[in-house]
């Protein structure tokens, strides 16, 4: 088995052992992400059955819980663990690692998003003289004694930073970047697994439900670890990473100091789900609604007269009032069902979209966005804009029925 996790293991385990594996791995990942001293953990021994089972079980929990902060914690922690393990590999170990990956890819090419890229890298790393060079002190900085060829779409981060040579759509990745590329492929594969796996059949499984309850007890601890905390005075700067719909809400709020009820509801939940605590949310909305409204708007409220109502409404969204239900922001399909200024790709005219996205009609992506808009594929148009703006390949299926959301867009900019 390999700690790249291309294939799950088969077999039976008692449920109490499975629960122990998941919780122990979760505790281990918390230490990893905090850069604490990593101590021996029998459930996270590199390449062991427990290690693989723990990884895949946490993937299942992450998918079913749909908790944005927990998802980002998991991706970041698994990436950190992968980097730590990769650093400890000597030339012989890295060669063995590459051989295992090649065998798995040949048997199950469908389990990986970019099999050709990973295969090409591994075919070089199984060569003794090549792997010894990669692990030596001479292979640093911009060393390019060896290089691999991959499709440019599979290394957009390198291309955006001008770190690779590009010829006729083929990128040449030098050996000094191979380990970094291996880390990127691991992260892409993990994000792809979390976004594309359909686990609807497990939602009502009582065994999974018990494990979910155990993990859920740990989620508040993770949320309080200050990994992703958005303060009210940071929203202007952070809005650069907002999806167009939420960027439009933010700009409208800043210009008019008011939003309609549905807009305020959607924007509040978005800010909540990307890390804004309830006390910061109160500050944020107080700062806006204390100001006099500007221009046309449909909201007649102000903070001075409706302070108690506003605070109660905000706390209600966070599950602190009323039925104590913590609400989550809607996906793209739900936003597109609104009639008033929700999804710009659906409700804006072309000039308004250009202004919001800061694009020009001569931009190559503009014609593609307009084609998708005419085909009513608004989510796909948004994903295309994401790829252009952040120079990344979206891991989410271009399917109007898939549960893509503004929150997923935002966190994808951080990955």
């Amino acid at each position: 088995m390999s700690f790249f996790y291309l294939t799950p293991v088969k077999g039976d385990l008692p449920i109490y052992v499975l629960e122990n594996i998941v919780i122990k791995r979760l505790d281990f990942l918390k230490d990893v992400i905090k850069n604490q001293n990593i101590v021996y953990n029998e459930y996270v021994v590199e390449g062991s059955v427990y290690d693989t089972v723990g990884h895949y079980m946490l993937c299942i929990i992450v998918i079913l819980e749909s908790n944005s902060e927990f998802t980002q914690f998991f991706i970041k922690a698994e990436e950190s663990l992968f980097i730590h393990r990769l650093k400890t590999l000597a030339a012989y170990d890295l060669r063995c690692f590459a051989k295992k990956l090649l065998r798995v890819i040949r048997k199950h090419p469908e389990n990986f998003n970019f099999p050709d890229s990973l295969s090409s890298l591994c075919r070089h790393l199984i060569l003794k003289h090549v792997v010894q060079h990669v692990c030596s002190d001479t292979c640093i900085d911009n060393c390019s004694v060896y290089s691999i060829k991959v499709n440019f779409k599979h290394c957009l981060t390198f291309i955006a930073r001008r770190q690779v040579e590009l010829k006729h759509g083929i990128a040449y990745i030098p050996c000094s970047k191979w380990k970094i590329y291996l880390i990127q492929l691991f992260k892409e594969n993990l994000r792809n697994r979390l976004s594309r796996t359909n686990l609807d059949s497990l939602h009502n499984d009582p065994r999974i439900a018990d494990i979910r309850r155990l993990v859920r007890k740990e989620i508040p601890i993770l949320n309080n670890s200050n990994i992703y905390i958005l303060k009210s005075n940071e929203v202007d700067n952070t809005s650069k990473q907002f999806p167009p719909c939420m960027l439009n809400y933010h700009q409208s709020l800043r210009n008019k100091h008011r939003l309609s009820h549905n807009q305020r509801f959607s924007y509040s939940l978005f800010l909540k789900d990307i890390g804004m605590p309830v006390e910061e949310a109160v500050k944020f909305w107080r700062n806006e609604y204390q100001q006099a409204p500007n221009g046309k708007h449909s909201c007649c409220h102000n903070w001075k007269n409706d302070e108690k109502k506003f605070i109660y409404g905000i706390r209600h969204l966070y599950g602190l009032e009323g039925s104590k239900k913590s609400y989550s922001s809607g996906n793209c399909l739900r936003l597109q069902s609104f009639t008033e200024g929700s999804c710009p790709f659906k409700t804006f005219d072309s000039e308004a979209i250009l202004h919001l996205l800061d694009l020009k009609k001569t931009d190559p992506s503009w014609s593609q966005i307009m084609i998708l808009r005419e085909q009513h594929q608004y989510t796909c148009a948004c994903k295309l804009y994401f790829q252009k703006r952040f120079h990344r390949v979206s891991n989410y299926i271009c399917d109007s029925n898939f549960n893509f959301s503004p929150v997923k867009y935002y966190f994808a900019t951080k990955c």
Side-chain angles (χ1 to χ4, degrees), residues 186-236:
F186 172 81
K187 191 174 180 180
E188 287 287 329
N189 190 51
L190 177 58
R191 293 175 61 217
N192 183 62
R193 180 182 301 133
L194 296 178
S195 64
R196 294 193 177 189
T197 307
N198 188 337
L199 297 178
D200 290 343
S201 60
L202 294 181
H203 270 289
N204 298 319
D205 190 310
R207 297 163 298 179
I208 300 296
D210 288 340
I211 299 176
R212 288 175 66 183
R213 277 192 288 270
L214 288 174
V215 174
R216 207 174 290 138
K217 293 178 181 178
E218 302 295 326
I219 293 179
I221 299 173
L222 301 176
N223 290 344
N224 292 331
S225 60
N226 294 325
I227 298 172
Y228 298 106
I229 297 295
L230 177 62
K231 296 184 177 180
S232 58
N233 60 359
E234 298 172 342
V235 178
D236 283 332

Side-chain angles (χ1 to χ4, degrees), residues 137-232:
D137 294 335
T138 58
C139 186
I140 55 174
D141 299 329
N142 296 317
C143 179
S144 57
V145 175
Y146 303 102
S147 64
I148 59 171
K149 297 186 292 183
V150 303
N151 188 296
F152 79 97
K153 294 180 180 179
H154 301 162
C155 62
L156 293 178
T157 303
F158 283 147
I159 292 174
R161 297 172 181 172
R162 301 182 183 277
Q163 294 178 334
V164 296
E165 184 181 357
L166 186 64
K167 292 182 179 179
H168 307 296
I170 300 297
Y172 294 79
I173 304 178
C175 52
S176 58
K177 300 289 189 298
W178 285 0
K179 288 187 177 180
I180 298 174
Y181 189 49
L182 193 59
I183 295 167
Q184 289 184 4
L185 290 176
F186 172 81
K187 191 174 180 180
E188 287 287 329
N189 190 51
L190 177 58
R191 293 175 61 217
N192 183 62
R193 180 182 301 133
L194 296 178
S195 64
R196 294 193 177 189
T197 307
N198 188 337
L199 297 178
D200 290 343
S201 60
L202 294 181
H203 270 289
N204 298 319
D205 190 310
R207 297 163 298 179
I208 300 296
D210 288 340
I211 299 176
R212 288 175 66 183
R213 277 192 288 270
L214 288 174
V215 174
R216 207 174 290 138
K217 293 178 181 178
E218 302 295 326
I219 293 179
I221 299 173
L222 301 176
N223 290 344
N224 292 331
S225 60
N226 294 325
I227 298 172
Y228 298 106
I229 297 295
L230 177 62
K231 296 184 177 180
S232 58

Side-chain angles (χ1 to χ4, degrees), residues 98-161:
K99 287 180 179 179
K100 290 178 182 178
L101 277 181
L102 272 179
R103 286 197 295 268
V104 175
I105 293 171
R106 287 165 183 165
K107 290 182 180 179
H108 308 281
E110 71 283 356
N111 289 356
F112 186 64
N113 204 26
F114 306 136
D116 294 339
S117 302
L118 185 59
S119 295
S120 178
L121 179 56
C122 289
R123 283 195 297 269
H124 283 75
L125 290 176
I126 62 174
L127 301 176
K128 186 175 180 179
H129 65 287
V130 175
V131 76
Q132 286 179 341
H133 169 75
V134 171
C135 294
S136 68
D137 294 335
T138 58
C139 186
I140 55 174
D141 299 329
N142 296 317
C143 179
S144 57
V145 175
Y146 303 102
S147 64
I148 59 171
K149 297 186 292 183
V150 303
N151 188 296
F152 79 97
K153 294 180 180 179
H154 301 162
C155 62
L156 293 178
T157 303
F158 283 147
I159 292 174
R161 297 172 181 172

